[in-house]
Amino acid sequence: MNSLIIAGLLLVLLGLAYQTGWATSRRLATPQGVKVHSRPQYHAALVAIWTLAPALLILGIWAWLGADITRAYIVAQIPADILTSLDQAGLNATLQRIGALASGYGVAGDILPFEQTAADSLRGFQFITFLAIVAAAAGLGILALLYARSRISPRLRARNNVEIVISGLLMLCSAVAILTTLGILLSLLSEAIRFFGFISPVDFFFGTVWNPKFSSTTAGDYGSYGLLPLLTGTLWVAAIASLVAVPIGLMTAIYLSQYAPRKVRAVIKPVIEILAGIPTIVYGFFALVTVGPFLKGAGAMVGLDISATSALTAGLVMGIMIIPFISSLSDDILNQVPLAMRDGSYGLGATQSETIRHVLLPAALPGIVGAFLLAVSRAIGETMIVVLAAGNSPVLRGTPLEPISTITVSIVNQLTGDTDFAGPQSLVAFALGLTLFVMTLLLNIVALYIVRRFREQYE
């Protein structure tokens, strides 16, 4: 209810400010032909920005500090003798009970008199503070509206000011993505450094045995945390998935963009893209009950011992899953190649296949590499299919026909259950996550190198 009122207040301020700015700027135009620097919509947008900025600032400050202020008020309502008898856990539980009572929700057990009194006081405090915040936001917004309206004049560079604000917002959005990535990296790095305080980096990166011990009677005996079995399993699955998805996806894209009749394309492309919408748990179940037994039976027919749950099973099904990523993106990129380039190739006497090989694919290579990178990144980070179809066996193996485990599955295993993040058993998940991050980063660097090198040759 409070959120709806605040949203309604902001919408009313926005509409009032925009209409006021528009009407005021329209009155600047006179029959004598006064030249106005900016159009009315820029003046209206500038007044709206001036109006909303202080209102949003007030609401933002309350959103930041409101919880602490409310908590301090509730603590002040608890009698001193009861407050001194509570530890931190008891205080938190009491605060939650009082907050629930003030919100009208029920609580377990008997309600103590001081809890009911504090809840009643809290209810009144929340009502008064809400009215004060709404009034402050509306009042400052109206004052800002009046000030912005008084600044409107023919020489006001409203368009320039609005564009500066929009540029700042765009820069802020870009910074959010960059800062989020940086925050993830720093959080992984800090916890990984804690993990390497227990386990040597040499034992982790070059160890061949993965056997963490969650409980041990010997101090310092944390088990073995060798990365190589997990890294090998991850690379096996990603390589098999790429071998399946890249040629099929690329050939599908070439057929759809160059050879398929329009009616056939209108049917096949949506059907392929449906694969991208199927939940990964369904793929995992499909691999477990269908593909795995089929591969085991097919291997027995030719004398191969193929486990039903193996890297081959997981990689094959994962390759099917990422086919739409490559085919759909590559198809769109091939269709964006300028028609003049194809016509030029045909004009020189090239056949359709020669035009595809020597003109279309080189021109679309940067986009195709991007699609390949996206698909491989998805394969490296996939978890559910591997959990069900790979066997979850963290053993270093030289064949994809036996059960394996991957980095993502081990992260899930280490973080499942009651974890305290005080020992290497849980902290190793951050080291594994950092390893995945570096692998994806290296993949991006290699892809950028290939794209830039080819662009230089093509130009």
Side-chain angles (χ1 to χ4, degrees), residues 29 49 97 104 114 129 137 144 165 238 252 285 306 337 354 366 368 370 381 394 413 418 450:
I49 292 171
R97 288 175 62 85
F114 83 89
T129 53
V165 173
T252 302
F285 184 72
I306 302 177
V337 176
E354 290 172 340
I368 294 173
N413 291 337
D418 191 9
I450 294 174

Side-chain angles (χ1 to χ4, degrees), residues 297-372:
M301 292 176 62
V302 297
L304 288 177
D305 184 15
I306 302 177
S307 176
T309 54
S310 63
L312 180 63
T313 304
L316 183 61
V317 176
M318 195 180 297
I320 296 173
M321 183 189 71
I322 62 177
I323 283 176
F325 290 92
I326 297 177
S327 64
S328 183
L329 291 175
S330 299
D331 175 45
D332 293 338
I333 294 163
L334 287 172
N335 285 325
Q336 291 176 1
V337 176
L339 187 61
M341 297 179 67
R342 308 180 202 187
D343 294 341
S345 177
Y346 292 140
L348 292 174
T351 64
Q352 188 171 14
S353 62
E354 290 172 340
T355 300
I356 292 171
R357 285 186 284 113
H358 298 296
V359 176
L360 292 182
L361 290 180
L365 183 63
I368 294 173
V369 172
F372 171 73

Side-chain angles (χ1 to χ4, degrees), residues 138-151:
L140 286 179
I142 292 174
L143 290 176
L145 186 154
L146 297 176
Y147 172 73
R149 188 185 66 174
S150 67
R151 294 181 67 246

